[in-house]
Amino acid sequence: MPLAHVPHPPRAGRPQNPQQGRTQARRRHVAGTVAGAVALLAGLVASGGSMAAAAPAAPAVSKASASKSLAQQAPAPAAPPALPQVAEPDFGPNVRIFDPGMPVAEIQATVDSIAAEQVDDEMGSKRYSLLFKPGTYGSAEEPLIVQVGYSTEVAGLGASPTDVTINGHVDVYNRCLAADNCIALNNFWRSLSNLTINVTGLEGCRSSANFWAASQASPMRRINITGGNLSLMDYCTAGPQYASGGFIADSKTGDVINGSQQQYFVRDSSIGNWSNGVWNQVFSGVDGAPAQSFPNPPYTTLASTPISREKPYLTLDAAGQYSVFVPAVRTDSAGTTWENGPTAGRSIPLSDFYVARPSDSVKTINSQLARGKNLLLTPGVYGIDESIEVKRANTIVLGLGIATLTAINGAVPLTVADVPGVDIAAVTIDAGEVNSPALMRIGKATQGGGGAANPAVRTDPGNPTVLHDVFFRIGGPHVGKASVSLEVNSDNVLLDHIWAWRADHGNGVGWTTNTGRNGVIINGNNVTATGLFVEHYQEYNVIWNGENGRTVFFQNELPYDAPNQAAWQHDGVLGWAGYKVADSVKTHELWGGGSYVYNNVDPTIHATRGFEVPVTPGVTLHSLLTVNLGAGTLDHVINDTGAPVSTDAVGVPSYVPSFP
C-alpha cells in the first residue's frame, strides 16, 4: 500500500533515500487529522483516560487508556494439564515451539533474539514461526513481551484463541529509518493468530495498548484482546507515525485506535469502539462496527459477509498430537467463529500432510501431493523451477513463518486444478529474474478467457477454493518479472486477503526492471474477494472478466515510476485504471474501494480514472475514492464521474458514494 518510493536516478528535489521518499509521499495524507490526534493521544495517555467515540465530523484519534492492574483485567484461563511427552514433529530450525512450563525469561530471550534479527530485515531471506502450546505465558509480575519483525509468524496451537494466553504484549512498533522518520508504512510480511493477549506490562506510553502498527500483508486472525486497547498506530515513537492498510478477521477486541491508518478492513469480528477513519475503513460482519457513514467519516459497513471461510491453523491436542483444523464455509456471516462454541469444521491429522523443507525439489512435493497428501510448507525460501500442482479436491496447502516460493527460469510456482475445496493459506510467491507468465493460476484458462465455461470443471459454490493471506511480489528482495501475479480461471473461488505487489522500493526495482503487467485477473464466475490489495502494476492492476464477482474492500496504488505519459496510456486513455470490470460483464458489486496516484518520476502524468466499469444495472460499486499522494493527477474516480485529485490538494480524497 502506500509504500516506499522506487529508487530512481537523482533528480532535483527528489529525496535520495528511497525509504525517505516514500515517507514524504505519504506523510501529507494526514497532516491535519493525525497531528491533532497525536497531541490528543499524548495528553490522554498521560492522564489515564479511556477511549471515547470519535465525533463523525472530526475523526480524531481517541485516547488510549492507561494500563490497568492485572486484577482489573479479564482473568487468564487456568493452565491446562501438562501435555503427554510425545516426540515433536520436525518443522525445521526456524520453528520455535514454546511450552507454558518454560521459564518466562527463557522464552523472552528467544523472542528478543529473533526480533533483533528481523525488525529491520525487510527484504531478507530468514523466516520464523513462533508457536505457543496451550497454556498461560507471563504474569503481571513477569509479563512476556513479544516484538514481531519481518517474516515472522506468532500463533497459538489451541483449538480456540482462549486456549493460549499471553500476559504481556505482542507488538509491532514503527520502524525508524532515521531519528525523526519513524513509520509503519513499510511494516509488511508478519502475522498474529489464534491466541489471547491480556495486555499488561511495559511502562508509560507503551503500557497504554497492544500495538500492531503494520501495513500490508500483516494479518491478525483469531485474536482475543483483553485488559487494554488495541492500537493500529504507534503513537509512542517519534516521527510521523504513519501506517497504511491492514486486515483483521475472526477476532475479538476492546477499543481499537485506528489513528493514522489510511485504510483498513475488519471482517467477521467483535470490536469495542473504533476511534476514527482517515480515507477508507471497511467493516464486514463486525459486531460493534461503526454505522455506515461513508464518506464522513469514511466508514463502509456491511451487516454480514456474503461468503467466508477462516484460514486453516495448526493445533495441538491434549494427547500431544498435531493436526490442522480447517474451518467450515459460512454464508452471510457475522461475528467470530469461536466465541459461542467450538469453530465448525474438520480436523486433519499432521500425518496426512507432507511436511516440506526449502531443500525439497518440486518433483518430491508433487509426488507427495499425487499420493493424496496435503502440504505443510515450513519456514524458508523455496526455489521453484516447475509448477507445484494441486490437483485433488479439498487439498490443504499451509505455510508456516511466511514460507516463500520463488520462481526460477520463468516457472509458474503454484497451480490449482478446477476442483472444489482447495485451501492455499499463508504463502508468499516471488517472481524471479526470468519472466513468468503468472505466479499462481487457479483453474485452466478457457479459450479467450471470460470464465471457466468448461464442462469438465468441477467446482462447488458450497465448497469454494480459497486463498488466505497469499502475497505476491515482483521485485523487492531481488529482480523479478511476471506478466500476471494471480490468474483465477475457476468458478466459485474466495480470495480472503491478497496482496499483489509490484515493488516500488527495495532491490531490482525500475520501470523496465521489475516488470508486471497485471496484478490479478479474474476469469471465473462467482468469485468473491474479501480484502484485495493490489499495487503498482504497469497496466490494469485488476481485471475482472467473470460474472457475479464481488469485492469487499479494495486498495490500490497506481505505479509510481512510469517514465512519461507516452509510456503509460492506451487507446486514447491516459494511464490505466486500478480496477477494471470488463465491458461484457453484466453483474458485479464492490464495497469500499480506493485508488491512489503518485507519479514521482514525471509529475505531469495523468490517469483518466481509478475505476473503469460498464454502465449496466447489474454492476454497482459503493464507497469509492481516489487520492493524490504528492505527484501526478487522477482525473476521475470511476469512468467519467468524480472530481480530479492533484497536487492542489494532496491527501484530500475525491469521493463517489455509489455508482451508477
Side-chain angles (χ1 to χ4, degrees), residues 468-528:
H468 298 290
D469 304 341
V470 176
F471 310 134
F472 302 88
R473 300 189 294 195
I474 299 178
H478 46 71
V479 173
K481 299 175 184 290
S483 299
V484 178
S485 288
L486 172 62
E487 181 182 297
V488 178
N489 301 306
S490 293
D491 297 339
N492 304 305
V493 172
L494 173 59
L495 308 178
D496 184 47
H497 192 211
I498 303 296
W499 186 34
W501 183 54
R502 177 183 165 262
D504 62 319
H505 69 281
N507 304 310
V509 170
W511 187 252
T512 59
T513 304
N514 64 321
T515 52
R517 187 182 72 236
N518 308 113
V520 177
I521 298 179
I522 308 295
N523 295 319
N525 298 324
N526 306 315
V527 174
T528 298

Side-chain angles (χ1 to χ4, degrees), residues 59-104:
V61 181
S62 299
K63 55 195 168 186
S65 59
S67 60
K68 306 172 185 176
S69 68
L70 195 59
Q72 294 174 305
Q73 300 170 9
L83 296 175
Q85 293 300 309
V86 177
E88 294 283 2
D90 185 0
F91 292 128
N94 290 341
V95 174
R96 308 297 164 83
I97 300 176
F98 303 109
D99 187 286
M102 292 178 177
V104 174

Side-chain angles (χ1 to χ4, degrees), residues 14-53:
R14 181 181 307 127
Q16 300 306 300
N17 181 334
Q19 300 281 10
Q20 179 185 9
R22 169 189 177 179
T23 304
Q24 290 180 356
R26 297 167 55 179
R27 96 175 18 167
R28 300 180 181 93
H29 75 279
V30 285
T33 303
V34 174
V38 172
L40 178 62
L41 278 165
L44 293 172
V45 168
S47 69
S50 61
M51 178 180 293

Side-chain angles (χ1 to χ4, degrees), residues 68 243 295 313 353 390 400 431 541 569 648:
K68 306 172 185 176
Y313 52 95
F353 282 77
V390 178
L400 298 181
N541 278 242
Q569 60 184 352
D648 290 341

Side-chain angles (χ1 to χ4, degrees), residues 151-410:
S151 302
T152 302
E153 169 192 31
V154 177
L157 293 171
S160 167
T162 57
D163 291 341
V164 174
T165 295
I166 292 178
N167 289 311
H169 287 246
V170 182
D171 287 326
V172 178
Y173 301 138
N174 286 345
R175 182 179 171 206
C176 290
L177 307 175
D180 61 348
N181 185 18
C182 297
I183 57 172
L185 298 180
N186 293 3
N187 282 354
F188 315 135
W189 308 308
R190 64 201 77 198
S191 69
L192 176 61
S193 63
N194 200 34
L195 50 77
T196 293
I197 303 169
N198 193 35
V199 183
T200 189
L202 298 177
E203 296 180 352
C205 185
R206 288 281 179 230
S207 70
S208 63
N210 191 88
F211 292 92
W212 193 256
S215 293
Q216 280 68 39
S218 300
M220 295 180 64
R221 293 181 179 269
R222 293 177 65 82
I223 292 300
N224 183 36
I225 304 286
T226 64
N229 296 331
L230 170 64
S231 181
L232 306 176
M233 165 192 180
D234 177 5
Y235 48 77
C236 299
T237 302
Q241 304 170 333
Y242 299 154
S244 185
F247 178 92
I248 295 173
D250 202 22
S251 294
K252 179 177 177 61
T253 74
D255 289 345
V256 180
I257 301 165
N258 179 74
S260 61
Q261 286 285 355
Q262 294 167 329
Q263 61 284 309
Y264 219 91
F265 180 47
V266 185
R267 179 183 60 71
D268 295 315
S269 294
S270 175
I271 64 174
N273 183 66
W274 185 273
S275 69
N276 68 290
V278 177
W279 291 340
N280 186 32
Q281 275 66 36
V282 178
F283 307 87
S284 178
V286 178
D287 297 335
Q292 169 73 27
S293 57
F294 189 91
N296 186 23
Y299 297 147
T300 301
T301 302
L302 286 72
S304 62
T305 304
I307 185 169
S308 65
R309 173 178 247 159
E310 300 305 332
K311 173 182 170 289
Y313 52 95
L314 193 64
T315 65
L316 178 65
D317 66 19
Q321 300 296 323
Y322 285 86
S323 301
V324 171
F325 191 83
V326 183
V329 174
R330 299 197 293 170
T331 56
D332 296 321
S333 56
T336 70
T337 64
W338 50 269
E339 282 184 85
N340 298 316
T343 299
R346 61 192 173 104
S347 187
I348 305 174
L350 190 62
S351 58
D352 287 353
F353 282 77
Y354 178 65
V355 180
R357 299 285 196 96
S359 57
D360 287 337
S361 68
V362 174
K363 285 184 170 59
T364 296
I365 292 172
N366 280 339
S367 174
Q368 293 292 328
L369 289 169
R371 291 174 56 197
K373 291 284 190 179
N374 300 289
L375 181 60
L376 187 76
L377 297 166
T378 60
V381 178
Y382 296 68
I384 306 298
D385 56 1
E386 58 181 308
S387 298
I388 295 175
E389 297 178 333
V390 178
K391 299 179 178 181
R392 180 175 54 87
N394 302 312
T395 299
I396 307 301
V397 177
L398 176 61
L400 298 181
I402 323 296
T404 303
L405 310 178
T406 299
I408 295 176
N409 294 329

Side-chain angles (χ1 to χ4, degrees), residues 409-499:
N409 294 329
V412 177
L414 186 57
T415 63
V416 179
D418 282 309
V419 294
V422 172
D423 208 315
I424 311 292
V427 177
T428 295
I429 305 179
D430 282 352
E433 293 186 15
V434 177
N435 187 74
S436 294
L439 296 180
M440 182 176 180
R441 277 201 188 107
I442 302 176
K444 185 175 292 186
T446 57
Q447 195 76 21
N454 183 333
V457 169
R458 294 167 292 148
T459 61
D460 179 357
N463 186 25
T465 283
V466 188
L467 272 59
H468 298 290
D469 304 341
V470 176
F471 310 134
F472 302 88
R473 300 189 294 195
I474 299 178
H478 46 71
V479 173
K481 299 175 184 290
S483 299
V484 178
S485 288
L486 172 62
E487 181 182 297
V488 178
N489 301 306
S490 293
D491 297 339
N492 304 305
V493 172
L494 173 59
L495 308 178
D496 184 47
H497 192 211
I498 303 296
W499 186 34

Side-chain angles (χ1 to χ4, degrees), residues 537-556:
Y537 289 84
Q538 293 169 300
E539 295 185 9
Y540 290 124
N541 278 242
V542 171
I543 302 175
W544 209 295
N545 294 316
E547 290 289 353
N548 302 317
R550 296 175 295 192
T551 297
V552 184
F553 183 90
F554 172 69
Q555 180 274 313
N556 165 251

